[in-house]
Amino acid sequence: MPSYRITLLPGDGIGPEITAVARSLLEAVGPHHGISFDVCEAPVGGAGHDAEGDPLPTETLKRCRDADAVLLAAIGGYEYDNLPQRQRPESGLLRLRAGMDLFANLRPVRILPVLVEASSLKRSLIEAVDLVVVRELTGGIYFGEPRGRITTPAGERGFNTMTYSDQEVDRIAAVGFRLAAERAGRLCSVDKANVLEVSQLWRERVNTMAAAHPDVAVSHMYVDNAAMQLLRNPRQFDVLLTGNLFGDILSDAAAMLSGSIGMLPSASLGSDGPGLFEPIHGSAPDIAGKDLANPLAMVLSAAMMLRVGLGQEEAATDLERAVEQVLLAGFRTADLMAEGCTQLGCKAMGEQLLVALEGVWQA
Ligand code: NAD
C-alpha cells in the first residue's frame, strides 16, 4: 500500500475551517484507492508567529522539506498587519516558497459548466475556458536587490529591482513548454519587452527554447494586452507563461473568470522535492470563524496534490467529481449562491462532499 507523508499547513483565518474539510476527504479517498496518508499539521503565517514568534518556524520548514507533498490553506490576518516585515505572515509564505525552492507556480483555470452563470463574463465568452497560468515564483521584483526606502534631500524614495537571469528564465520556460506539449500545444509568453530590458532577455530565452520545441506554438504578448485579452477572449489561451509580478496580477484576473476566488487550486513546484499545493485565495479574515468559507478550492488543491504531487490520478479525479456533484446537486456556499440553490456553510459543504464521494464510487 503506498503511504505518503503529507504536511498540512492550516495557517490563518478560514484556513483551519477549509483544512478540516480537505483532511476528511483525503482520509475518505485514500483507503478506497489503497493509499495511506501520514498527515502532520504545522503552524505557518500568523499561526507560526503566535506559536513560535516566527511566521515560518524552523520545524515547519523541516517538516515541509521532509514530506512527499505539502498542502497549505492560507495565511494572513488584520492583527498581523503592523508587525515588522520579517514577522508578517506573508514573509513566512515567501520564505517557505524560497526554502523549498518552489520556482514554478501553476494555476489552472477551468470553467465548470455548472458554474458558467457565476462568472461576471457572458456565457459565450466563458464556456470551455481551460487555461493554465505558469508564474515564476522565486525571482523577479519580489526578490530582486537592491530594494528599500531611503531619504534623499528631495524627500523619501522607495525602490525595488526587477531582475531575471537566463537560467531563471530557462527553468520556468521549460515548465511552460512541457505543460503546453501535454495540453493543447499553445504557449503565450507575457512580458513588457517594449519597455523593460529584463523582459527583452525573457523573450530571447523563450524564443531560443521555442526552436527546440516544434510541437509547441509560441506567441508573445505585452502584459497590458494580456490583461485585456483575458477579459476579451479568454478561450484563446492554453498556457500563459510569465514572471512573478505579472503572474501575480494576471492569475487573479484569470481566477475571477470562474466567478469565485473560492474555486481555484494551485501548485508550486521545484526541480525535485515536494510540491506545495494551495488554493489561490487568501485567509479571508472578513469571514473567518463564521462557517461561511467555500472549501472547494482547498479540496481541488488536495486533488491537484494527489495528481501532480503524488501521481494518484484516480483518487484526484474522485475528489474533482465529488466537487462537481455537490454543485450539480445545487449546493453552494455564500460566495457562489444563486437562485434555486441551497446555501450551505463550510462544514455542511464538507459533509455533502463526503456524501458525493460515496455517490461517485457507487455510480
Ligand atoms: P482573500 O483572498 O483572503 O479575500 C478576498 C475576498 O474573497 C474576501 O471578501 C474573502 O471573504 C473572499 N474569499 C476568499 N477566499 C474565500 C473562500 N474560500 N470562500 C469564500 N470567500 C472567499 O484576499 P485579501 O482579502 O486580499 O487578503 C486577506 C489576507 O490573506 C491578507 O492577510 C493577505 O495577505 C492574505 N493572502 C494570503 C494568500 C496565501 O495564503 N497564499 C494569498 C492572498 C492573500
Side-chain angles (χ1 to χ4, degrees):
M1 178 193 271
S3 174
Y4 298 108
R5 282 161 305 160
I6 309 292
T7 297
L8 206 49
L9 305 175
D12 309 319
I14 61 169
E17 300 166 54
I18 60 175
T19 299
V21 172
R23 186 168 183 163
S24 69
L25 280 153
L26 281 173
E27 281 164 0
V29 83
H32 189 81
H33 291 278
I35 309 165
S36 78
F37 297 111
D38 177 6
V39 178
C40 108
E41 292 197 14
V44 72
H49 176 267
D50 293 345
E52 311 272 342
D54 182 350
L56 181 62
T58 310
E59 183 59 23
T60 296
L61 178 58
K62 183 177 179 316
R63 286 184 184 181
C64 291
R65 284 186 175 142
D66 290 347
D68 293 308
V70 180
L71 185 60
L72 164 73
I75 54 87
Y78 308 132
E79 63 271 45
Y80 308 108
D81 281 352
N82 294 322
L83 288 173
Q85 184 65 25
R86 202 179 152 75
Q87 283 171 36
R88 291 185 58 163
E90 294 77 8
S91 143
L93 183 55
L94 291 181
R95 281 164 51 209
L96 177 64
R97 288 170 178 162
M100 293 176 70
D101 200 19
L102 303 171
F103 66 86
N105 183 238
L106 275 51
R107 290 193 179 188
V109 179
R110 193 166 66 90
I111 310 297
L112 297 177
V114 65
L115 285 185
V116 165
E117 300 303 339
S119 174
S120 45
L121 294 193
K122 286 183 274 192
R123 172 181 278 272
S124 59
L125 291 181
I126 208 71
E127 253 172 348
V129 163
D130 184 358
L131 61 89
V132 182
V133 179
V134 176
R135 166 190 168 195
E136 201 288 329
L137 204 58
T138 52
I141 197 164
Y142 292 172
F143 293 91
E145 297 284 348
R147 63 187 296 162
R149 288 175 64 156
I150 50 170
T151 305
T152 72
E156 263 209 284
R157 178 174 289 273
F159 56 97
N160 293 85
T161 304
M162 189 187 273
T163 172
Y164 275 114
S165 70
D166 49 2
Q167 290 104 323
E168 283 176 306
V169 180
D170 288 357
R171 68 177 186 171
I172 189 69
V175 174
F177 275 94
R178 200 164 52 239
L179 197 62
E182 288 166 8
R183 292 172 45 96
R186 287 179 286 121
L187 179 84
C188 178
S189 174
V190 176
D191 61 36
K192 192 70 184 166
N194 50 343
V195 179
L196 302 175
E197 284 81 357
V198 60
S199 283
Q200 290 158 12
L201 172 69
W202 180 284
R203 194 175 277 220
E204 276 168 34
R205 300 307 300 181
V206 171
N207 279 335
T208 303
M209 203 168 280
H213 288 87
D215 51 335
V216 175
V218 176
S219 59
H220 300 275
M221 202 176 269
Y222 298 136
V223 61
D224 39 350
N225 187 24
M228 186 179 78
Q229 295 298 335
L230 267 175
L231 301 180
R232 199 183 75 84
N233 177 19
R235 259 198 309 268
Q236 70 185 284
F237 295 116
D238 177 23
V239 175
L240 273 162
L241 169 71
T242 192
N244 207 344
L245 173 63
F246 300 157
D248 194 2
I249 298 164
L250 291 181
S251 53
D252 270 19
M256 270 322 287
L257 300 175
S258 77
S260 169
I261 202 165
M263 285 304 299
L264 295 178
S266 76
S268 300
L269 309 173
S271 313
D272 48 28
L276 173 77
F277 300 84
E278 57 176 318
I280 67 148
H281 60 71
S283 58
D286 52 335
I287 57 166
K290 297 181 180 164
D291 195 31
L292 284 173
N294 178 352
L296 298 183
M298 183 67 175
V299 172
L300 292 171
S301 301
M304 208 172 172
M305 176 184 81
L306 288 168
R307 176 178 292 113
V308 178
L310 306 176
Q312 293 291 341
E313 174 70 33
E314 288 176 10
T317 305
D318 282 359
L319 291 193
E320 289 165 352
R321 287 212 183 116
V323 168
E324 281 183 40
Q325 287 307 316
V326 289
L327 293 170
L328 279 170
F331 296 119
R332 301 282 189 277
T333 41
D335 54 311
L336 288 176
M337 190 53 193
E339 216 182 309
C341 293
T342 309
Q343 187 169 327
L344 297 181
C346 180
K347 208 161 167 244
M349 185 57 109
E351 285 155 13
Q352 288 303 329
L353 282 162
L354 288 169
V355 173
L357 198 56
E358 289 292 334
V360 166
W361 293 328
Q362 278 158 21

